[in-house]
Amino acid sequence: MVAERASAPPGYTERPSRLAGAVVWTNRPSAAAGRPVLPDGCMDLLWTEGRLLVAGPDTHAYRPQGPAGDWAGVRFFPGTAPVFLGVPAYELRDRRVDLAEVWPAAEVRRLTGRVDAAADRATALEEIALRRAAQADRPDPLLRKVVASLAAGRPVARAADELGVGARQLHRRSLAAFGYGPKTLARVLRLQRALALAWAGVPFAETAARAGFADQAHLARDVRELAGIPLGELLRR
């Protein structure tokens, strides 16, 4: 669904996690500067040699910096990571931070050593997520319904009415769960719908109509604003 990549770069693999709705992935980029990471409504627990990090929710494309290296990650279903991490999503919006900024440093050092020493780093990272999730509260079930409604292309006001919550309450709960309001989440999910269609070869005008944009020009503006480059160039990359 929304947590799946529409197109995977070379060196990238993923599989469904044993944690409901999550995805476990690995990436070994061939160059120091990898492809831009596009907003998708998700947050990730990340490992790279000697480090555990958290990727917060993005409102624009993130461009990896530094030397190429092996990565593993657990990508959480939208809205579920804050309960797991113990911090509201808006505190991590558009940020990559060391896990030690969120959890006790001694615990993070121990967990980092465990993943570093594992034969399968992705599975070791998944085990951390599973153990933590077992100790945490369950995510608010309303949030999954919000994602499903907006991912289906319903307007925010209609989604709020169908779920029986007021606009202010939905905005407040969305900030804590997704890192931004429901209108931004709807825009991000619409972008993901469009990219999946475009990568499948659907013409841009039809992609715009099917994904819920007013027209092809609207699609082009959103892609440029959220991804930082035109749609045609994004597909070529």
Side-chain angles (χ1 to χ4, degrees), residues 142 145-146 156-167 169-170 173:
L142 176 73
K145 296 178 182 177
V146 170
V156 172
R158 179 181 168 189
D161 288 343
E162 289 178 350
L163 297 172
V165 295
Q169 183 185 15
L170 179 59
R173 291 165 80 168

Side-chain angles (χ1 to χ4, degrees), residues 58-129:
D58 293 323
T59 59
H60 51 76
Y62 170 77
R63 287 171 172 75
Q65 304 295 323
D70 290 348
W71 288 83
V74 175
R75 188 165 66 250
F76 296 93
F77 188 85
T80 62
V83 172
F84 165 81
L85 293 170
V87 295
Y90 61 77
E91 292 188 7
L92 301 173
R93 183 173 55 233
D94 292 320
R95 299 177 63 200
R96 269 68 178 162
V97 303
D98 285 316
L99 186 60
E101 293 187 29
V102 181
W103 293 357
E107 179 183 4
V108 173
R109 284 194 299 271
R110 177 177 58 81
L111 295 174
T112 303
R114 179 187 301 170
V115 180
D116 282 345
D120 184 338
R121 275 67 177 266
T123 297
L125 197 65
E126 181 185 26
E127 290 292 343
I128 293 173

